[in-house]
Amino acid sequence: MHHLITKCANLAKDSQIQYTLLLSLFIGGGFWLSIPTTWFSNQITSSLYIIKLVVLYPFFEEVIFRGAIQGELLKRSTFKNVTCKISLANFTTSSLFSTMHILNLPIEIAILTFIPSLILGYFRERHLGLLAPIMLHMYFNSIYILFNSLTI
């Protein structure tokens, strides 16, 4: 437990994570407030749904996408190629991540998960683990709940 607290404290000191938290609040908030409420059908209706959206989905999605898929791709030299600080492994994983979201979300929203996914993949590689992307994913989904509840 002490090790986890230490890792979280170190993540909090990362200026890039700090900027990401701040920018995502403003950019994400502005984005959610600009979306017509007809795109959402009062999804956030129960405490259980909120727990799934803020805790369970981010955890399992990051373990699968950033842990298993991106981690496996990073073992292959071709996928380690980096352009603008984004590896091919990250780009490929983010493409799959966005495609998966088409199953649950309007296509416009699913496509827009691509940029946050690249950010999550970047921090997975920067911090060589899943703690940063899991925590950021929880934060991103919390912003979604906050601003979605303001627009309904």
Side-chain angles (χ1 to χ4, degrees), residues 19-31:
Y19 294 134
T20 300
L21 293 173
L22 187 61
L23 284 174
S24 62
L25 181 60
F26 291 106
I27 293 170
F31 168 74

Side-chain angles (χ1 to χ4, degrees), residues 41-57 141 144-145 148-149 152:
S41 56
N42 292 330
Q43 295 180 33
I44 303 166
T45 56
S46 72
S47 298
L48 179 59
Y49 184 78
I50 291 172
I51 290 168
K52 288 192 301 189
L53 193 65
V54 174
V55 179
L56 296 178
Y57 294 164
N141 285 9
Y144 165 77
I145 289 173
N148 186 273
S149 65
I152 293 177

